[in-house]
Amino acid sequence: MSEKSDQPFCGSQSIAERERLLIEPYAVHSTHTKGRKYPEAKQEYRGPFQRDRDRIIHTAAYRRLSHKTQVFTNEAGDYHRNRLTHTLEVCSIARTIARALRINEDLVEAMALMHDLGHPPFGHSGEDVLAECLENEGGFSHNQHALRIVEVLETRYPGFPGLNLSRETLEGQQYRAAKHNETHSPSLEAQVVDAADSIAYDSHDADDALELGLLDVEQLQEIPIWQRAMKKVNEGDDLSPTAMRRAVVHELIDKQVEDLLHTSASNIQKHQPESAEEVKTLSPLVGHSESIAAQKKELESFLLRKVYRHASVMEVRDNAQQALRELFQSLQNNPDLLPPSFKGRADEMGLRRTICDYLAGMTDRFTWREHARLCGN
Ligand code: MG
């Protein structure tokens, strides 16, 4: 660090200095931020992306992730991931990768904490119902909805709607919402969050499915990436089946992170971008080796067949979708049942979109409660 300042805490000068020392020129530096839609004064003790992270953590949408389905609803037990614990696992993996690649951890953390904010209750099952309800009004996607939450729906500041996040934080989510169809690549920080999301769910969905008895270890042993992780763990002590399973899941994450770091570092080395702007002109640099990418694909298609489409998951899915459809119908027939804050928006945003904004914000349990109250069963 350069000269010690008179201030007893880290000021904006030293935040910039710290980034210059710790992260690469092609990382996103907070001094180069394109700012916020509604200009705000800099804060002395927090950089812009730290501030974004804190704003996201203080939203109602973030807190509600704790009662939203990742893959399995909370009736199934207390072991498996919910949308919040998934988000925290993604964040932890993404920060590790960001630190190792010497890119902006604060930005990575903000984007990781935000990445699933737009999920409605019951995960992708809920998303499909809302997409169906808004078929002729632009549809519904959780990635797009996360942007709507942070730009419009959260009203926590008197001076502007939404959270007024930095453009760099929003850009990561815009890339996800555009389903990667943008003409340029996103920042390395956004690429890392995407990769960490996939590393987290590939590993924890297998772990959760085993714990819930939807899979047994023998079935997973047919999958090369699991097989290899198991072989590595087997080289150590004799473990009980549960200890073995947990060790394999850790090994699975470790293996993917290691592969991603080596492959991405070599891509960066090859292209030698000089700035974060140049990164956007190159094809994505963060990625897995061909071999691990193929093995991950195989694991994902196995999970799709054996877990996401498991009869017990499908049964919950059908019931949850039915409840959401009935709730939508009942609110459409009687918009006076909407809470006043939503009712006031229907004229401007359209009734169907407003109902979906309301439904998307619900937790699983609140959906069931509202369904019982408004639909009478
Ligand atoms: Mg996710």
Side-chain angles (χ1 to χ4, degrees):
M1 222 41 63
S2 66
E3 289 166 37
K4 212 166 168 231
S5 98
D6 295 336
Q7 269 173 346
F9 55 82
C10 180
S12 57
Q13 273 301 101
S14 47
I15 292 169
E17 177 69 9
R18 189 171 184 275
E19 286 184 358
R20 262 196 303 278
L21 287 169
L22 295 177
I23 66 179
E24 298 288 345
Y26 46 76
V28 175
H29 287 243
S30 54
T31 40
H32 299 155
T33 178
K34 287 182 247 157
R36 303 172 190 274
K37 182 173 180 187
Y38 303 92
E40 290 181 63
K42 269 193 199 165
Q43 211 174 31
E44 267 187 309
Y45 60 91
R46 277 185 307 180
F49 309 132
Q50 288 175 278
R51 220 170 164 188
D52 289 350
R53 172 204 60 204
D54 296 346
R55 287 182 181 188
I56 291 161
I57 285 179
H58 288 276
T59 59
Y62 177 78
R63 290 192 295 279
R64 289 188 184 129
L65 293 176
S66 65
H67 287 283
K68 290 196 180 204
T69 293
Q70 172 65 23
V71 174
F72 310 104
T73 55
N74 65 358
E75 284 87 50
D78 293 331
Y79 176 87
H80 61 270
R81 279 71 173 176
N82 58 46
R83 197 58 70 177
L84 180 64
T85 57
H86 159 72
T87 296
L88 294 173
E89 289 186 28
V90 172
C91 192
S92 158
I93 293 170
R95 284 192 57 142
T96 298
I97 298 169
R99 188 173 297 187
L101 291 178
R102 293 191 297 271
I103 58 174
N104 199 316
E105 277 181 61
D106 292 332
L107 178 56
V108 160
E109 190 176 15
M111 290 192 292
L113 293 173
M114 174 183 172
H115 89 281
D116 268 354
L117 272 196
H119 268 286
F122 313 119
H124 293 285
S125 315
E127 182 171 23
D128 291 346
V129 173
L130 300 189
E132 184 185 294
C133 296
L134 291 175
E135 202 185 348
N136 300 317
E137 277 117 311
F140 179 94
S141 88
H142 72 272
N143 282 323
Q144 191 65 48
H145 194 66
L147 286 168
R148 192 164 164 76
I149 289 171
V150 300
E151 293 185 298
V152 182
L153 297 176
E154 284 282 343
T155 49
R156 317 196 69 79
Y157 301 91
F160 43 79
L163 308 181
N164 200 28
L165 300 177
S166 308
R167 291 200 165 85
E168 292 75 10
T169 304
L170 293 172
E171 275 169 14
Q173 193 63 28
Q174 281 156 358
Y175 182 76
R176 295 175 76 88
K179 294 213 168 75
H180 302 203
N181 282 333
E182 301 268 15
T183 47
H184 58 78
S185 292
S187 61
L188 290 176
E189 286 78 359
Q191 295 179 37
V192 162
V193 173
D194 245 13
D197 190 19
S198 156
I199 292 173
Y201 62 65
D202 278 354
S203 315
H204 68 46
D205 289 352
D207 184 39
D208 287 350
L210 286 168
E211 174 74 23
L212 291 170
L214 269 57
L215 286 180
D216 51 53
V217 177
E218 286 69 36
Q219 287 174 289
L220 266 166
Q221 278 168 4
E222 291 164 22
I223 309 301
I225 198 168
W226 185 275
Q227 232 173 56
R228 290 201 174 98
M230 202 152 173
K231 191 165 169 266
K232 174 102 188 275
V233 171
N234 260 332
E235 286 164 3
D237 302 328
D238 251 3
L239 298 172
S240 71
T242 306
M244 163 68 86
R245 187 187 89 212
R246 291 179 182 164
V248 172
V249 171
H250 298 152
E251 175 59 29
L252 208 57
I253 296 175
D254 192 35
K255 179 84 201 150
Q256 291 177 78
V257 169
E258 215 174 85
D259 175 77
L260 189 92
L261 285 174
H262 283 293
T263 312
S264 309
S266 122
N267 291 341
I268 292 170
Q269 182 72 22
K270 191 161 130 207
H271 292 277
Q272 306 215 337
E274 285 177 6
S275 67
E277 280 311 303
E278 195 186 335
V279 165
K280 294 184 183 175
T281 67
L282 304 166
S283 51
L285 300 175
V286 174
H288 287 287
S289 62
E290 272 178 30
S291 149
I292 292 291
Q295 290 180 47
K296 273 172 70 64
K297 225 178 219 167
E298 199 170 336
L299 174 62
E300 285 164 11
S301 89
F302 173 83
L303 291 172
L304 179 68
R305 281 180 281 118
K306 303 288 184 189
V307 177
Y308 309 143
R309 291 189 185 148
H310 190 279
S312 66
V313 174
M314 295 310 277
E315 191 189 333
V316 175
R317 174 189 164 97
D318 291 346
N319 294 338
Q321 291 196 322
Q322 183 64 17
L324 268 179
R325 279 192 197 100
E326 288 174 7
L327 259 178
F328 180 87
Q329 205 52 54
S330 128
L331 291 164
Q332 193 178 26
N333 294 344
N334 189 357
D336 281 340
L337 295 172
L338 281 166
S341 57
F342 283 87
K343 223 185 320 177
R345 275 203 288 253
D347 278 349
E348 189 194 335
M349 304 195 176
L351 180 60
R352 295 172 77 86
R353 174 67 63 186
T354 303
I355 295 172
C356 285
D357 284 343
Y358 179 49
L359 295 178
M362 290 181 180
T363 57
D364 297 358
R365 64 182 184 184
F366 185 73
T367 309
W368 288 122
R369 214 179 297 155
E370 281 302 273
H371 182 255
R373 190 173 72 84
L374 301 179
C375 306
N377 45 29

